[in-house]
Amino acid sequence: MGSGAGLRGWAERRPVLFPLLLSFFCAALSEPIRYRIPEEMPEGSVVGNLAKDLGLSVRELPTRKLRVGSEKPYFTVSAEHGELLVSSRLDREQICGKKPVCALEFEAVAENPLNFYHVSVEIEDINDHTPKFLQNSFELQISESTKPEARFILGSAQDADIGTNSLQNYQLSPDDHFLLVSKEKSDGSKYPELLLKMPLDREEQKSYHLTLTALDCGDPPLSSTAQIQVLVTDANDNPPVFSQELYRVSLLENVFPGTTVTRVMATDQDEGINAEITFSFTEAGQITQFDLNSTTGEIITRHMLDFEEVKEYSIVLQARDGGGMIAQCTVEIEVIDVNDNIPEVVFQSLPDLIMEDTRLGTYIALLKIRDKDSGDNGEVTCKLEGDVPFKLLTSSRNTYKLVTDGVLDREQIPEYNVTITATDRGKPPLCSSTTITLHIGDVNDNPPVFQQSPYLVHVPENNPPGASIAQVSASDPDLGPNGLISYSIVASDLEPRALSSYVSVNAQSGVLFAQRAFDHEHLRAFQLTLQARDQGSPALSTNVSLRVLVTDRNDNAPRVLYPALGPDGSALFDTVPRAAQPGYLVTKVVAVDADSGHNAWLSYHVLQASEPGLFSLGLRTGEVRTARALGDRDAARHRVLVSVRDGGQPPLSATATLLLVFADSLQEALPDLSERPTPSDPQAELQFYLVVALALISVLFLLAVILAVALRLGRSSSPTTWSCFQPGLCTKSGPVVPPIYSEGTLPYSYNLCVTQAGKTEFNFLQCKEQLSSGQDILCGDSSGALFPLCDSNESTSHQQAPPNTDWRFSQAQRPGTSGSQNGDETGTWPNNQFDTEMLQAMILASASEAADGSSTLGGGAGTMGLSARYGPQFTLQHVPDYRQNVYIPGSNATLTNAAGKRDGKAPASSNGNKKKSGKKEKK
């Protein structure tokens, strides 16, 4: 073993690289790369530069990941230089046994792209095994009668090496009686025979000691020795003789133990004990598969045979007679192969993951088929089971490549269970199946898909800000970041700056939030474009349209457009002819509702009416019509309260007040309208209380004056004093407040009559002829009159002068609801009782302010408070000054037009005779 160890240092390596035949259609090498190295090289020894022989540069090694695909790790590839290195002990005798050629074949695998290269490393034998005898000593008994040239088989030596390193020769120590002869078996092994050169004489020498040496031809040669002791026995003239020197037997490997292999026959011509023959194996220690019947010579199997382990047995038997003479024969047993080994599929390269975008024809795995049988029993065909997008390509004998043969889609089939069936050609054929699972790796090849397209969302108005109004959802069958979806708003028909104040979307959940409360009346609908985007590289996205419809809620009450309120908040009036027939269209209530649908479906209802059966109201039209003709007992003025109600739930409503007056003309309708209550005004109420207080003081003052005058007259009893109070002037005594105005002038005025004696007399002026329009009402015996009406047939010399005509109103300046009302174009004073009473009160209140010539009642100077009722155009310049006809007892002042003073004008003279009282009463 020492010399064998020295041979391990032999570093001569002769890499033999055959020419590389590269194919344009197959990247693998058609011929393997061959190396030849001696056995027992130390671990880490360089076999050859595999990367260089494959045409790979050092820079490509990290990406190509060159490695060895082998079942037993005899070799490895250096990651830095691509050299093929020894990784474990290479014992040729253990790997290949007695095979003349020992070659290790394996595949070198390179990735990116995946490729396979066949490599063959031939292991050369070195002389590392010494020939060994099974026994250190042998004993031979030779009869002295043995004739020269007799041969005796000696125990052979075994050498595990092959070729010149194996057992080549035997040597025997020099002796005069014996000679050594080397013989060779059919399998090439040699065994020694001892040849007797001259007769033996037991009496001269009973035994001989010889040394047998076994030699090989290695460098250096190795040898071993065994001792032979020859005992000389008495004569046994005839040795046993076998029926044949060589027995050949064929035996199936699947025979059961105890099966008879063959039977050897031997005879001995001697008699007696010298003729008794016993059989035995010359090398009994090596024979483990067979038993020998020493008496009959029958050979039987001891264990099951295995063709794959031992294909042939060569057994040497000897027959010994009772005299010690022996004979030898050889039995050669050929083991016949039986198809008893199932093919085995071995994967030498298998990826963990296959990307779904792998191209057709890409190498996936390298597999090898192993069948220990030989001949047809070892010929194997391989195929794929089922419908899978893969196929097998033959790379070399019993080596296959698994390549893609179809489109891979992980979303449809995430993994494939590939079953590979290997079947041999034996009879009957044997097969085996191996199933592997190929996992398909995900690629971002699927954009997100929305569950519906487009989206239509109904959102009730007045929604709370921040509430969720919708949710969009998209799915992506990809995995990991390729299937992680985020949502965003990419477009809208709203203003870009205002979009964020309307809606927002949660990027993870796709929930759409309202950022404000929507108003159906301002925004009926808007459209968004949402995008679902995955996180792959490159990222894929899909857009969807989402339309938001803001549905209406009943949040707007009806609004009445007609009848509208006046500037002071009072309701306007409508006139109805007294002769209106049933069904006459009086007016129409016009209302609108900002809502829509049922919420804006208006209906009109009468809530309150002064005469319920007189008018009818259209439920949907709002038209007010007369239900019957006006009766004699029906009032002229009517008030109808109308409710306008929508169709929402709950319904909302508004009310409108209709003032309807039956009159044939506007002048006839004005007195009825004067009875309407005016809206309360704190300033007006204060003025009213001041006027009432002033009136009471004036009345008390006048009563005191009248009482004083009456007492004075009662004392004097002068008839001239009563001339002013003639009984024929008026029918009744007392002050009169007329209910209406005459044509453009006040119906009454006051005048003081002063007698020549200096006594003051108070007269009522006679009614003028111009009051004919009001005589039917005023001059009759009306129960509502406060003053006795004047007799039209009587006249007096103290007549009221006619008023000035320059104060008449133009069409635009007339008080009332509209300047376009039908009326007298001459500008007659409106027949309004309230205005008359108010004007009279203002005149009386102005008497207390005559000294300073200013008026504080109502608005600015010169307005007498009339502008509050009739507008800024109605000033004192349009009103005749009746204060000039009023005399204040106890004062020498006569009321004048303050505005006239301001304007620098004297009071206008009347068209008639107008008396002035300028004398003072002497007391």
Side-chain angles (χ1 to χ4, degrees):
M1 294 300 290
S3 60
L7 289 176
R8 280 192 204 101
W10 181 65
E12 180 183 356
R13 293 178 296 274
R14 294 170 291 175
V16 181
L17 178 62
F18 287 86
L20 301 178
L21 300 178
L22 298 178
S23 174
F24 291 98
F25 304 101
C26 181
L29 295 175
S30 59
E31 290 294 334
I33 300 174
R34 301 182 184 276
Y35 296 96
R36 182 180 299 162
I37 61 173
E39 64 173 332
E40 299 295 346
M41 289 184 65
E43 294 185 11
S45 300
V46 178
V47 177
N49 196 324
L50 181 60
K52 182 179 179 181
D53 296 337
L54 294 177
L56 303 177
S57 64
V58 178
R59 296 180 180 179
E60 295 181 280
L61 293 180
T63 58
R64 297 302 300 272
K65 298 180 181 179
L66 185 63
R67 66 181 187 275
V68 173
S70 177
E71 300 175 16
K72 295 182 180 181
Y74 290 116
F75 302 98
T76 185
V77 178
S78 172
E80 297 179 356
H81 305 289
E83 295 174 337
L84 187 63
L85 306 177
V86 177
S87 61
S88 63
R89 181 188 177 192
L90 298 177
D91 189 353
R92 184 191 182 286
E93 290 74 28
Q94 183 180 359
I95 296 174
C96 299
K98 288 291 186 177
K99 292 182 179 179
V101 177
C102 181
L104 294 179
E105 296 182 354
F106 54 89
E107 282 72 28
V109 182
E111 298 182 358
N112 300 317
L114 181 64
N115 210 337
F116 308 99
Y117 305 93
H118 301 286
V119 181
S120 176
V121 179
E122 183 179 348
I123 308 300
E124 295 182 345
D125 183 49
I126 63 174
N127 193 20
D128 57 343
H129 291 86
T130 304
K132 292 183 179 181
F133 290 96
L134 297 178
Q135 298 176 2
N136 293 329
S137 62
F138 301 95
E139 182 179 343
L140 292 178
Q141 293 181 1
I142 302 176
S143 177
E144 60 179 344
S145 60
T146 303
K147 295 179 180 181
E149 301 298 329
R151 294 175 182 266
F152 304 93
I153 298 177
L154 302 176
S156 59
Q158 302 293 328
D159 194 336
D161 296 326
I162 63 171
T164 58
N165 296 326
S166 64
L167 179 63
Q168 297 295 327
N169 193 14
Y170 291 95
Q171 292 181 358
L172 186 64
S173 59
D175 190 92
D176 297 335
H177 293 82
F178 299 97
L179 181 65
L180 185 65
V181 177
S182 294
K183 285 196 172 183
E184 187 174 354
K185 297 181 182 179
S186 60
D187 58 356
S189 62
K190 297 179 178 181
Y191 63 93
E193 289 185 354
L194 188 62
L195 178 65
L196 182 60
K197 293 193 298 182
M198 58 182 58
L200 298 177
D201 187 357
R202 180 179 178 277
E203 288 72 22
E204 290 182 1
Q205 189 174 351
K206 294 182 179 180
S207 62
Y208 297 88
H209 296 278
L210 304 175
T211 300
L212 180 62
T213 302
L215 300 171
D216 59 21
C217 294
D219 185 14
L222 301 178
S223 63
S224 64
T225 60
Q227 301 299 319
I228 302 174
Q229 184 177 8
V230 180
L231 299 177
V232 180
T233 63
D234 289 336
N236 184 14
D237 298 338
N238 296 295
V241 177
F242 283 97
S243 58
Q244 58 189 63
E245 292 185 359
L246 179 62
Y247 292 86
R248 293 183 179 275
V249 180
S250 296
L251 190 64
L252 295 176
E253 63 174 331
N254 60 349
V255 296
F256 295 100
T259 303
T260 301
V261 178
T262 187
R263 184 177 181 179
V264 295
M265 300 293 294
T267 60
D268 194 330
Q269 296 180 358
D270 294 329
E271 293 181 355
I273 193 172
N274 292 328
E276 294 180 2
I277 300 174
T278 59
F279 300 94
S280 63
F281 293 125
T282 59
E283 299 175 355
Q286 291 183 339
I287 308 302
T288 58
Q289 298 292 334
F290 304 97
D291 286 332
L292 176 62
N293 191 319
S294 61
T295 304
T296 62
E298 184 179 8
I299 302 174
I300 60 176
T301 58
R302 180 186 298 179
H303 303 289
M304 291 289 296
L305 304 180
D306 191 353
F307 172 82
E308 288 71 33
E309 292 183 1
V310 181
K311 298 178 176 57
E312 185 179 11
Y313 294 92
S314 180
I315 304 173
V316 178
L317 285 77
Q318 66 179 5
R320 181 187 296 272
D321 59 15
M325 297 187 68
I326 61 174
Q328 294 179 341
C329 71
T330 301
V331 178
E332 293 183 356
I333 303 174
E334 180 185 4
V335 180
I336 300 176
D337 183 41
V338 176
N339 192 21
D340 57 347
N341 290 281
I342 299 175
E344 182 181 359
V345 179
V346 179
F347 283 90
Q348 295 185 341
S349 176
L350 185 63
D352 297 331
L353 201 64
I354 303 173
M355 304 309 293
E356 61 179 327
D357 60 347
T358 302
R359 297 181 180 179
L360 296 179
T362 302
Y363 296 134
I364 301 301
L366 177 66
L367 54 99
K368 200 168 187 178
I369 309 301
R370 182 190 303 165
D371 194 331
K372 296 180 181 181
D373 295 327
S374 61
D376 291 340
N377 298 330
E379 294 292 332
V380 181
T381 59
C382 195
K383 66 177 181 178
L384 292 177
E385 300 291 341
D387 186 13
V388 292
F390 303 99
K391 66 179 180 179
L392 289 174
L393 296 179
T394 302
S395 176
S396 61
R397 184 177 180 272
N398 294 337
T399 302
Y400 295 87
K401 295 177 182 178
L402 183 65
V403 300
T404 56
D405 191 36
V407 178
L408 304 179
D409 190 352
R410 190 209 62 81
E411 287 72 33
Q412 294 183 1
I413 303 178
E415 62 182 19
Y416 290 92
N417 292 323
V418 180
T419 301
I420 302 173
T421 301
T423 306
D424 59 24
R425 297 182 181 179
K427 293 182 181 180
L430 299 179
C431 66
S432 65
S433 297
T434 301
T435 301
I436 59 172
T437 300
L438 298 178
H439 299 277
I440 308 301
D442 184 53
V443 175
N444 192 22
D445 57 347
N446 292 279
V449 178
F450 283 95
Q451 293 182 355
Q452 67 181 76
S453 179
Y455 285 86
L456 183 63
V457 179
H458 296 269
V459 180
E461 64 174 336
N462 302 328
N463 57 291
S468 171
I469 61 175
Q471 182 177 12
V472 296
S473 179
S475 60
D476 194 327
D478 293 327
L479 291 178
N482 298 333
L484 186 61
I485 300 175
S486 61
Y487 302 90
S488 62
I489 301 175
V490 296
S492 173
D493 56 1
L494 299 173
E495 289 292 333
R497 296 181 179 178
L499 176 62
S500 60
S501 64
Y502 279 88
V503 291
S504 65
V505 64
N506 187 289
Q508 285 72 34
S509 62
V511 177
L512 199 67
F513 295 96
Q515 299 299 313
R516 63 165 62 178
F518 298 144
D519 189 355
H520 174 77
E521 288 71 36
H522 293 84
L523 182 64
R524 299 292 180 92
F526 59 92
Q527 189 157 341
L528 304 174
T529 300
L530 286 90
Q531 183 182 85
R533 186 182 184 92
D534 60 27
Q535 307 300 320
S537 179
L540 301 179
S541 62
T542 302
N543 294 344
V544 70
S545 176
L546 184 143
R547 185 169 181 80
V548 179
L549 300 179
V550 181
T551 58
D552 183 51
R553 282 183 175 177
N554 194 23
D555 58 344
N556 291 278
R559 184 167 61 92
V560 178
L561 301 180
Y562 185 85
L565 299 178
D568 56 352
S570 61
L572 303 180
F573 69 94
D574 290 288
T575 59
V576 185
R578 293 180 180 275
Q581 297 298 319
Y584 175 79
L585 178 61
V586 177
T587 184
K588 181 176 181 180
V589 179
V590 180
V592 294
D593 195 322
D595 296 324
S596 60
H598 283 280
N599 298 329
W601 194 19
L602 303 181
S603 61
Y604 302 84
H605 308 275
V606 177
L607 294 181
Q608 185 180 0
S610 58
E611 188 67 33
L614 185 57
F615 299 98
S616 63
L617 179 63
L619 180 64
R620 299 299 177 189
T621 62
E623 295 179 349
V624 180
R625 298 180 180 271
T626 56
R628 59 179 176 82
L630 180 68
D632 296 336
R633 295 183 179 181
D634 292 330
R637 183 173 61 89
H638 294 273
R639 181 176 178 272
V640 179
L641 184 61
V642 176
S643 172
V644 182
R645 189 181 307 161
D646 58 26
Q649 292 296 330
L652 302 177
S653 62
T655 58
T657 302
L658 301 177
L659 297 180
L660 306 178
V661 178
F662 281 90
D664 293 331
S665 65
L666 181 62
Q667 309 300 338
E668 186 179 354
L670 288 176
D672 294 327
L673 294 175
S674 64
E675 300 178 6
R676 292 181 298 167
T678 59
S680 61
D681 186 4
Q683 185 68 22
E685 290 181 1
L686 179 59
Q687 293 177 359
F688 174 74
Y689 292 142
L690 293 176
V691 170
V692 170
L694 182 61
L696 290 177
I697 295 174
S698 300
V699 170
L700 293 176
F701 176 75
L702 290 176
L703 290 178
V705 172
I706 293 172
L707 182 60
V709 172
L711 292 176
R712 184 72 177 270
L713 291 178
R715 294 175 185 176
S716 63
S717 301
S718 175
T720 58
T721 306
W722 297 93
S723 62
C724 294
F725 300 96
Q726 296 180 5
L729 182 61
C730 294
T731 58
K732 293 183 181 180
S733 62
V736 176
V737 178
I740 62 174
Y741 286 94
S742 180
E743 189 76 26
T745 180
L746 293 176
Y748 299 101
S749 61
Y750 304 91
N751 195 4
L752 293 178
C753 298
V754 182
T755 62
Q756 294 178 358
K759 297 181 180 179
T760 302
E761 298 176 351
F762 189 83
N763 291 341
F764 285 96
L765 299 181
Q766 185 182 0
C767 299
K768 293 191 59 170
E769 292 291 334
Q770 287 83 355
L771 301 177
S772 61
S773 62
Q775 285 178 357
D776 296 338
I777 300 175
L778 300 177
C779 295
D781 190 7
S782 177
S783 60
L786 298 178
F787 290 87
L789 302 179
C790 300
D791 188 359
S792 63
N793 296 325
E794 294 185 2
S795 61
T796 179
S797 60
H798 306 284
Q799 293 183 351
Q800 170 78 28
N804 296 331
T805 59
D806 58 353
W807 65 270
R808 298 178 183 272
F809 297 97
S810 66
Q811 184 69 15
Q813 295 171 341
R814 293 176 185 174
T817 58
S818 175
S820 62
Q821 296 176 357
N822 296 329
D824 189 3
E825 289 297 324
T826 60
T828 59
W829 190 271
N831 297 326
N832 192 316
Q833 182 178 359
F834 178 81
D835 294 342
T836 304
E837 295 171 353
M838 186 173 182
L839 182 60
Q840 290 175 353
M842 291 182 180
I843 293 173
L844 293 176
S846 300
S848 63
E849 302 175 2
D852 56 1
S854 62
S855 175
T856 59
L857 298 178
T863 62
M864 296 181 62
L866 300 181
S867 62
R869 174 68 179 173
Y870 295 107
Q873 294 178 343
F874 194 84
T875 60
L876 288 180
Q877 63 181 346
H878 305 105
V879 182
D881 189 1
Y882 288 96
R883 289 176 292 178
Q884 62 185 347
N885 297 325
V886 178
Y887 174 73
I888 304 300
S891 173
N892 58 1
T894 302
L895 297 179
T896 60
N897 190 351
K901 290 181 179 181
R902 287 190 301 268
D903 297 337
K905 297 179 181 179
S909 61
S910 60
N911 294 334
N913 296 326
K914 184 176 181 181
K915 293 184 178 180
K916 299 181 181 179
S917 177
K919 296 181 180 181
K920 297 181 181 179
E921 181 182 0
K922 295 182 180 180
K923 296 183 181 180

